[in-house]
């Protein structure tokens, strides 16, 4: 049946023009549902993840270490748990690859207490700028070729496939009466591309990132 609910959150997706600057997404949210007897159920969810067009191992390590430091302030078990959850969640099943190189992701978290989870979520949110902006500054003036731009557009096609087929947030938004469709689809890139049966050459930079997307790495040990 229908139950009163409250949902709030902050979400951001950045799709840079330069293919050497990774796409970054973060979302942190809170849900509350009132049962028929008046009791309330609540939970937090969210995460931060990175989707590079080309692999830069130094950037990947920096990104994951910054998120790990935010998690470790609260519990040393959180980062490995939510890192794996992120790798498993952003999986494009029909492609056999992840959307990106991961980060952290969690949902339906309702313990140990509302205040403790809220403090954890705030730590994660505060880590967004330090984990990502240094990467942007490092690469925003990098030169790139038309071929590298084409590969970026093909990877953005994969981003679209995940968001429209698998993403829980997109599905939830589209099923919510009176929702703003433009806000739900704001995560999609301005442009994307699909190439029939496209396979990058072996030992190429494009093949290198595909290997990581198919076999996630531990970036912090």
């Amino acid at each position: 049946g229908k139950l009163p609910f409250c949902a709030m959150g902050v979400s951001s997706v950045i799709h840079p023009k330069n293919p050497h600057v990774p796409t970054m997404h973060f979302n942190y949210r809170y849900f509350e549902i009132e049962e028929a007897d008046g009791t309330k159920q609540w939970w937090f969810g969210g995460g931060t993840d990175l989707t590079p067009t080309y692999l830069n191992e130094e950037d990947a390590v920096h990104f994951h270490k910054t998120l790990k430091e935010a998690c470790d302030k609260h519990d040393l078990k959180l980062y490995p748990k939510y890192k794996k959850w992120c790798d498993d969640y952003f999986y494009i099943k029909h492609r056999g690859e992840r959307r990106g190189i991961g980060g952290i992701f969690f949902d339906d978290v309702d313990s140990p207490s509302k205040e403790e989870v809220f403090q954890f979520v705030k730590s994660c949110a505060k880590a967004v700028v330090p984990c990502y902006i240094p990467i942007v500054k490092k690469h925003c003036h990098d030169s790139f070729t038309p071929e590298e731009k084409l590969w970026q557009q093909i990877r953005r096609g994969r981003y679209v496939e995940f968001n429209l087929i698998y993403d829980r947030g997109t599905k939830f938004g589209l099923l919510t009466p009176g929702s703003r469709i433009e806000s739900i689809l704001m995560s999609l890139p301005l442009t994307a591309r699909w190439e029939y049966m496209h396979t990058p050459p072996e030992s190429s930079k494009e093949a290198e990132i595909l290997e990581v997307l198919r076999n996630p790495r531990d970036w912090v040990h």
Side-chain angles (χ1 to χ4, degrees), residues 19-20 54 142-151 205-206:
H20 297 295
Y54 290 98
D142 288 1
S143 60
F144 56 89
T145 66
E147 291 75 21
E148 289 171 333
K149 188 66 179 177
L150 171 62
W151 178 243
K205 292 187 297 179
E206 291 78 12

Side-chain angles (χ1 to χ4, degrees), residues 187-216:
S187 63
L188 300 180
L190 184 63
T191 58
R193 183 166 178 151
W194 285 262
E195 292 279 339
Y196 184 72
M197 299 297 288
H198 183 277
T199 303
E202 290 186 18
S203 302
S204 65
K205 292 187 297 179
E206 291 78 12
E208 179 184 36
I209 186 70
L210 274 182
E211 172 61 26
V212 173
L213 300 179
R214 290 167 180 163
N215 300 288

Side-chain angles (χ1 to χ4, degrees), residues 38-218:
T39 60
K40 291 183 178 180
Q41 301 289 331
W42 59 267
W43 65 93
F44 287 90
T48 305
D49 64 282
L50 196 70
T51 306
T53 302
Y54 290 98
L55 180 64
N56 182 297
E57 295 194 9
E58 187 178 271
D59 295 344
V61 170
H62 165 77
F63 184 82
H64 277 269
K65 276 191 172 181
T66 306
L67 294 178
K68 181 179 183 298
E69 289 169 3
C71 294
D72 287 354
K73 294 176 183 177
H74 301 269
D75 189 331
L76 297 179
K77 297 177 182 177
L78 294 179
Y79 171 77
K81 177 182 178 180
Y82 294 155
K83 191 270 186 188
K84 183 181 185 304
W85 196 337
C86 188
D87 289 335
D88 292 343
Y89 178 76
F90 290 106
Y91 182 61
I92 308 172
K93 295 178 184 177
H94 61 276
R95 298 287 186 183
E97 61 194 45
R98 275 79 191 163
R99 189 178 77 176
I101 62 166
I104 57 172
F105 179 83
F106 54 90
D107 208 357
D108 306 320
V109 178
D110 58 3
S111 64
S113 71
K114 185 184 291 187
E115 184 58 31
E116 286 176 279
V117 181
F118 184 40
Q119 292 302 321
F120 164 67
V121 171
K122 286 200 291 185
S123 292
C124 294
K126 288 177 181 178
V128 169
V129 169
C131 79
Y132 181 60
I133 296 304
I135 298 174
V136 175
K137 290 181 176 179
K138 179 179 174 182
H139 297 290
C140 64
H141 298 299
D142 288 1
S143 60
F144 56 89
T145 66
E147 291 75 21
E148 289 171 333
K149 188 66 179 177
L150 171 62
W151 178 243
Q152 180 198 51
Q153 295 301 295
I154 292 173
R155 294 312 312 166
R156 286 190 176 170
R158 301 289 198 269
Y159 204 96
V160 171
E161 290 176 22
F162 175 84
N163 284 27
L164 294 183
I165 297 172
Y166 300 113
D167 187 66
R168 287 180 65 183
T170 302
K171 291 179 179 179
F172 172 81
L174 294 175
L175 291 172
T176 302
S179 58
R180 214 171 34 226
I181 302 301
E182 299 299 332
S183 296
I184 298 164
L185 300 179
M186 54 74 68
S187 63
L188 300 180
L190 184 63
T191 58
R193 183 166 178 151
W194 285 262
E195 292 279 339
Y196 184 72
M197 299 297 288
H198 183 277
T199 303
E202 290 186 18
S203 302
S204 65
K205 292 187 297 179
E206 291 78 12
E208 179 184 36
I209 186 70
L210 274 182
E211 172 61 26
V212 173
L213 300 179
R214 290 167 180 163
N215 300 288
R217 290 188 197 173
D218 179 352

